[in-house]
Amino acid sequence: QKEVEQNSGPLSVPEGAIASLNCTYSDRGSQSFFWYRQYSGKSPELIMSIYSNGDKEDGRFTAQLNKASQYVSLLIRDSQPSDSATYLCAVNTGGFKTIFGAGTRLFVKA
Amino acid sequence: GAGVSQSPSNKVTEKGKDVELRCDPISGHTALYWYRQSLGQGLEFLIYFQGNSAPDKSGLPSDRFSAERTGGSVSTLTIQRTQQEDSAVYLCASRNIPVAEQYFGPGTRLTVT
């Protein structure tokens, strides 16, 4: 079982819709959770961090965490073509190592 | 403020040559990480530094790979006798312990011909 799992996609949504990206993790001791956006040919860019159960909103982005279900998600409201990228879920268990998922490719169709 | 910088941005080398990749972390960040990303693949952890020491070298693919960090700042990743399978983007990230967020540099694209 992979430590951090994501659907590879591609996930295709129309412009203006809500994109929902999901991630599950295996280590119940995980404490910190991150979403990175990676455009083609570029390096990962941190867009959201979440540490406690519930929702965290930042502009059009909402991160959701459910530690009991070992599940973290990212919602992108009013999706734009510029949101088309690969989204990496990352999990830290409190140590030095952060485990990255393989990423979900998102396409937003104009 | 300045982010993580890496050099060179692109490197083309012949099989069998040695290469050095450089990472300059965000000022004051105590931890530094190296990752490798092959085309269309996820991030592969290589090594991390806490200060100048590398407690976890488990991700280095072979003994041809080595890394060092000096002065708690700049790090170099050295690949000896490069092979075609070493072709990838090498990413560096830094982190300000105990904060968990890592911030990535732009990467070095290595092509071994």
Side-chain angles (χ1 to χ4, degrees):
Chain A
Q1 182 188 7
K2 291 182 181 176
E3 295 177 81
V4 177
E5 292 208 47
Q6 297 182 254
N7 188 317
S8 62
L11 172 66
S12 184
V13 300
E15 184 175 359
I18 296 175
S20 178
L21 305 164
N22 305 314
C23 171
T24 58
Y25 59 94
S26 60
D27 189 332
R28 283 198 170 273
S30 299
Q31 300 179 6
S32 310
F33 307 85
F34 311 98
W35 284 99
Y36 287 80
R37 177 176 62 200
Q38 186 173 24
Y39 291 116
S40 181
K42 301 295 186 181
S43 62
E45 173 193 9
L46 179 66
I47 56 172
M48 289 289 283
S49 305
I50 187 166
Y51 298 92
S52 54
N53 281 329
D55 294 0
K56 179 182 177 182
E57 186 174 317
D58 183 1
R60 295 186 296 110
F61 298 100
T62 299
Q64 299 176 315
L65 175 61
N66 184 325
K67 289 186 178 180
S69 299
Q70 295 174 244
Y71 178 93
V72 59
S73 65
L74 179 70
L75 301 178
I76 306 174
R77 290 182 299 282
D78 188 24
S79 295
Q80 301 297 309
S82 59
D83 296 324
S84 298
T86 296
Y87 289 81
L88 306 177
C89 173
V91 175
N92 180 275
T93 58
F96 286 102
K97 206 165 181 179
T98 294
I99 308 299
F100 287 82
T104 298
R105 287 184 296 151
L106 173 66
F107 290 108
V108 180
K109 299 174 293 185
Chain B
V4 179
S5 61
Q6 293 186 246
S7 61
S9 55
N10 281 284
K11 177 72 176 178
V12 180
T13 190
E14 291 180 353
K15 178 182 172 181
K17 300 283 190 183
D18 297 352
V19 295
E20 275 194 0
L21 312 180
R22 175 188 168 110
C23 173
D24 208 332
I26 294 171
S27 178
H29 279 199
T30 53
L32 185 149
Y33 299 76
W34 284 99
Y35 297 89
R36 179 168 72 173
Q37 189 172 37
S38 299
L39 188 63
Q41 302 300 307
L43 295 176
E44 176 186 3
F45 168 79
L46 298 179
I47 189 171
Y48 85 87
F49 289 89
Q50 170 60 15
N52 292 333
S53 64
D56 186 354
K57 301 180 182 180
S58 62
L60 293 177
S62 74
D63 59 6
R64 296 186 295 106
F65 287 73
S66 63
E68 66 174 12
R69 189 180 185 196
T70 55
S73 181
V74 172
S75 175
T76 55
L77 176 69
T78 301
I79 309 173
Q80 296 179 311
R81 304 180 302 282
T82 52
Q83 303 295 311
Q84 287 187 329
E85 60 262 28
D86 299 334
S87 295
V89 175
Y90 290 80
L91 292 161
C92 174
S94 72
R95 173 185 168 191
N96 188 19
I97 303 292
V99 176
E101 283 85 348
Q102 293 184 26
Y103 297 91
F104 284 85
T108 294
R109 181 175 299 277
L110 174 66
T111 304
V112 182
T113 61

